Amino acid sequence: MMLDLVPLLFFLPLLSFPVVLFFGRWLPLKGAGLTIAVMAGCFAWSLALLAAALLGAVELPYSFSISWFSFDIYDVALGVYLDGLTVTMLCVVTLVSLLVQIYSLGYMQGDSRFSRYYSYMTLFTASMLGLVLADNMLVLFACWELVGLCSYLLIGFWFEKPEAAQASRKAFITTKLGDLGFAIGLYVIFTHTGTFSIPSLQEMARAGFFAPGVALWSSLLLFCGAMGKSAQVPLFVWLPDAMEGPTPVSALIHAATMVAAGVFMVAKLFFLFEINPTALIVVGFIGAATAFLAALMGLVPEDIKRVLAYSTVSQLGYMMAGLAVGGPQVGSFHLVTHAMFKALLFLGAGSVIHAMHTNDIWKMGALSVRMPITFVTFAIGVLALSGIFPLSGFYSKDEILHAALNSGNWPVTILLFSTSALTAFYMTRVLVLVFLGSARDRERYGHSHESPASMTAPLVILAALSVVMGFLMHGEHVWGKLVPHKLEHEHGHVPAILVALLSSVVALSGMAAAFGVYFYRWIDAAKVKERFDVIWLFLYDRMGFDRFWLAWVKLSYKLADALAWLDYHALDQGLVDGQGSLTRQLSRASEWIDRYIIDNLVDLWGWISLWAGSRVRVTVSGFVQSYLLYVILGISLIFAARMYF
């Protein structure tokens, strides 16, 4: 019974969307009460499924489907597919969405579009749940696109701000570039297999049905979609601007929905990626490069949410690299722990912004006194993200670093360790500048205060989960049961304790360096910035990636202008209008010929007939003798002709 009703996890939030959108103003809490109640029920249900899976009360994987539509000899089904990864993601998505919606009661209070905000949030969550539950690639892609639509609506929720409107368009268009590859990959897979069913594709992969070349190109094309949704280099440029939406939206996007979709998809279809090792090499290198480059860019922003956005890009790269070197268990473990502390960090940032009415970390300081709950919980998030023992980030990041070392892939390993140090540095920078030291804007500081309970309660819950989740899920006793697939390497067997010590030293060194620069001021950060202003501007300018895509956008504008000119002048005026003009001229010529030649020819024959008739008519006298004379003359002429001819 519990499994048979699983589709309701998708349909309940989906049906809440129109109810709140059209009737929210008359519902409790303007519709927020309904969406929160629905999400609480979905989370309780998901948690029960997870507990049943761990206890062996339900048998996974479980699939259920009905016929959706048919074409030619093919039948496409609509259904759900539950395995350990799916059940885990259901818990993550529903929990984060529930806490974000509770938090939004305080953050969005007084907003003129309050009901619309909650309707979009529940549609966003429903889209992600549909993506997670889908048992075939076509439904997954449909929900994938619906997630993109919801991100567009929520990033541009305050569309009256030009920055928000621009950011929503940027997110939509950038991710669509990756989605184009995804769609082509689906075509390649269907052409080769004749099915969209994920369980069927999995069986085919195990049976060796996929040729290495087909597996390589189809997996890399699918990965293009993941690069867009999960913000991998070079398609990451939309995510730092996504913070223009409400902060709770940023938390949901960065923790459990939009960006998690790409990582989840790669983990779900890992059976396809591992057929050809080249695919994993590409995924690993792009993931590691994304992690390192985004960490470098995270060193310079003054906007607290933008720092967290670069952190998300970096950690998504970590997850992709973890999938490539360690398999679904390793990459997905970090996806789950990251969802907790990244939601915590974004909601903590929202609490600070709510109190200070600015995003600029250089206008903050000493907020640990005014906002103790936000400070403690935010600090826990920073420590977890930095990978400090015994918080959850330590366990999941160490799994990735351990797998990277054992894989023998030294470029990826070096990039990931370097990223770990940079992450600890820039996150400690934010912690120090926002909460420690002295207040740099006394007026804003004087009006600051701790956020209401509706905002701090989710912070406390997420902080607690950020502390214990890594320890609880680490190892084969829990995570190994949910996602047992883990890559084994023959290159080396580095002791786990050595990796733990090394990663801790790296993370603590990064934190110590940040304290030295921004708290103890052993080094003047302003002078360093001035001396290395070229590098600083290069990082602040996102290493030219925005300029690169902007150049393509400008080129597309020029191409569009050229096509518009061709359409108007050549096709429209030259062919369509030209053909019409030619038709008019030909019709006029035809009219002249008809009037002056054809009609005159007809009139000529009539005139000739009249003239001949007038001449013949004089011979008709009415006398019989005359007619006999004509007959005799005629006969005589005939005889004469016969005699001579």
Side-chain angles (χ1 to χ4, degrees):
M1 184 67 176
M2 179 184 291
L3 294 177
D4 293 339
L5 297 178
V6 161
L8 291 178
L9 289 172
F10 166 69
F11 285 109
L12 287 176
L14 182 66
L15 294 175
S16 300
F17 161 67
V19 173
V20 176
L21 181 63
F22 295 111
F23 308 106
R25 68 182 66 181
W26 298 289
L27 296 175
L29 298 176
K30 295 183 178 180
L34 174 62
T35 64
I36 291 173
V38 168
M39 202 48 55
C42 290
F43 170 64
W45 199 342
S46 302
L47 192 61
L49 284 172
L50 178 63
L54 291 173
L55 296 174
V58 295
E59 186 176 350
L60 299 179
Y62 165 83
S63 62
F64 168 79
S65 62
I66 58 174
S67 180
W68 187 13
F69 65 89
S70 300
F71 62 98
D72 198 16
I73 62 172
Y74 304 106
D75 183 69
V76 179
L78 182 68
V80 299
Y81 178 71
L82 282 180
D83 57 7
L85 178 61
T86 301
V87 172
T88 305
M89 282 301 299
L90 288 175
C91 289
V92 172
V93 174
T94 53
L95 173 61
V96 173
S97 180
L98 173 62
L99 295 177
V100 166
Q101 291 189 37
I102 293 173
Y103 178 95
S104 298
L105 289 173
Y107 192 89
M108 298 298 292
Q109 185 178 13
D111 193 280
S112 59
R113 295 188 291 269
F114 187 85
S115 296
R116 184 186 300 181
Y117 169 84
Y118 271 91
S119 68
Y120 288 170
M121 290 287 277
T122 192
L123 179 62
F124 200 7
T125 306
S127 305
M128 187 64 191
L129 291 173
L131 188 154
V132 170
L133 288 167
D135 75 329
N136 72 79
M137 295 297 297
L138 193 60
V139 176
L140 188 151
F141 185 67
C143 293
W144 182 279
E145 292 302 308
L146 194 56
V147 166
L149 171 63
C150 294
S151 69
Y152 169 79
L153 295 173
L154 285 167
I155 293 171
F157 184 75
W158 290 324
F159 53 82
E160 60 273 11
K161 293 171 52 181
E163 298 84 0
Q166 175 65 22
S168 63
R169 291 194 299 269
K170 188 176 184 180
F172 191 81
I173 295 171
T174 305
T175 55
K176 289 299 161 287
L177 291 175
D179 292 350
L180 176 62
F182 195 126
I184 297 172
L186 287 182
Y187 175 77
V188 172
I189 290 174
F190 186 79
T191 302
H192 187 65
T193 64
T195 183
F196 290 113
S197 171
I198 294 176
S200 299
L201 293 173
Q202 193 169 16
E203 291 299 323
M204 291 179 181
R206 289 173 180 169
F209 182 81
F210 287 92
V214 173
L216 174 63
W217 286 109
S218 57
S219 57
L220 290 182
L221 286 167
L222 294 177
F223 183 64
C224 289
M227 289 174 64
K229 281 290 190 290
S230 292
Q232 300 297 288
V233 169
L235 297 179
F236 74 95
V237 292
W238 68 270
L239 191 54
D241 292 334
M243 39 74 67
E244 292 294 343
T247 300
V249 170
S250 300
L252 190 59
I253 289 176
H254 288 247
T257 52
M258 180 88 160
V259 299
V263 179
F264 172 81
M265 185 269 289
V266 175
K268 190 80 168 180
L269 303 179
F270 194 78
F271 59 83
L272 185 62
F273 283 79
E274 66 179 339
I275 294 174
N276 193 321
T278 304
L280 292 182
I281 292 173
V282 173
V283 172
F285 179 76
I286 290 178
T290 300
F292 179 70
L293 295 178
L296 286 175
M297 287 181 269
L299 297 172
V300 297
E302 294 90 3
D303 188 313
I304 184 173
K305 288 173 65 177
R306 198 173 294 275
V307 176
L308 296 179
Y310 283 121
S311 167
T312 300
V313 176
S314 182
Q315 295 306 304
L316 290 168
Y318 239 98
M319 296 171 206
M320 289 297 187
L323 289 170
V325 298
Q329 183 184 125
V330 174
S332 301
F333 185 22
H334 193 53
L335 173 63
V336 173
T337 60
H338 174 265
M340 299 301 112
F341 54 73
K342 184 50 59 70
L344 168 62
L345 289 169
F346 263 104
L347 296 183
S351 179
V352 171
I353 295 168
H354 184 265
M356 296 292 289
H357 303 289
T358 181
N359 292 27
D360 192 342
I361 58 177
W362 290 100
K363 294 181 180 179
M364 301 176 187
L367 289 179
S368 60
V369 177
R370 291 298 189 105
M371 308 178 70
I373 299 176
T374 301
F375 165 63
V376 172
T377 54
F378 194 90
I380 291 173
V382 170
L383 294 173
L385 178 57
S386 300
I388 302 301
F389 179 83
L391 282 79
S392 59
F394 166 80
Y395 291 95
S396 58
K397 291 179 77 171
D398 267 26
E399 285 281 348
I400 296 175
L401 294 173
H402 193 198
L405 280 169
N406 284 333
S407 70
N409 193 331
W410 289 106
V412 169
T413 303
I414 293 171
L415 288 173
L416 293 182
F417 270 101
S418 301
T419 300
S420 182
L422 292 171
T423 301
F425 181 88
Y426 68 70
M427 288 308 303
T428 304
R429 167 180 175 259
V430 172
L431 183 67
V432 170
L433 292 178
V434 174
F435 292 100
L436 304 179
S438 58
R440 286 175 291 278
D441 189 325
R442 300 300 304 181
E443 182 178 354
R444 293 180 185 275
Y445 180 78
H447 292 91
S448 63
H449 55 83
E450 186 60 272
S451 298
S454 62
M455 296 173 66
T456 55
L459 295 180
V460 173
I461 294 172
L462 289 168
L465 292 172
S466 298
V467 173
V468 303
M469 183 168 287
F471 173 76
L472 293 177
M473 297 191 70
H474 178 65
E476 296 298 319
H477 65 290
V478 175
W479 194 251
K481 293 181 180 179
L482 297 172
V483 186
H485 194 168
K486 188 174 182 180
L487 295 179
E488 299 294 339
H489 299 286
E490 299 178 358
H491 297 83
H493 299 282
V494 180
I497 187 63
L498 179 61
V499 178
L501 291 173
L502 183 58
S503 66
S504 296
V505 169
V506 169
L508 290 172
S509 298
M511 296 188 70
F515 265 100
V517 174
Y518 296 101
F519 186 77
Y520 295 108
R521 299 180 183 176
W522 294 335
I523 299 175
D524 192 333
K527 289 183 178 179
V528 172
K529 174 184 174 181
E530 183 179 352
R531 183 173 181 180
F532 298 98
D533 61 329
V534 175
I535 298 176
W536 188 91
L537 288 173
F538 177 65
L539 295 177
Y540 194 83
D541 196 38
R542 304 180 194 181
M543 299 183 177
F545 282 104
D546 260 10
R547 294 181 183 273
F548 170 78
W549 289 116
L550 186 60
W552 281 102
V553 171
K554 290 180 178 178
L555 179 62
S556 68
Y557 286 162
K558 292 181 179 179
L559 179 61
D561 290 339
L563 291 174
W565 183 93
L566 180 66
D567 176 69
Y568 181 73
H569 293 284
L571 298 179
D572 194 4
Q573 291 190 328
L575 292 179
V576 179
D577 291 349
Q579 183 180 6
S581 178
L582 178 62
T583 302
R584 287 198 301 270
Q585 297 301 325
L586 290 174
S587 66
R588 288 171 183 170
S590 176
E591 180 190 18
W592 187 89
I593 292 172
D594 180 69
R595 177 178 297 178
Y596 295 103
I597 297 178
I598 305 299
D599 279 1
N600 286 336
L601 284 174
V602 173
D603 293 344
L604 176 63
W605 287 109
W607 182 82
I608 291 172
S609 299
L610 289 173
W611 178 83
S614 66
R615 294 297 180 268
V616 171
R617 188 167 55 246
V618 298
T619 64
V620 180
S621 60
F623 296 106
V624 176
Q625 320 71 306
S626 299
Y627 299 153
L628 290 174
L629 178 62
Y630 297 151
V631 171
I632 293 170
L633 288 175
I635 293 172
S636 300
L637 289 174
I638 292 172
F639 276 109
R642 288 178 61 86
M643 289 176 63
Y644 289 102
F645 299 103

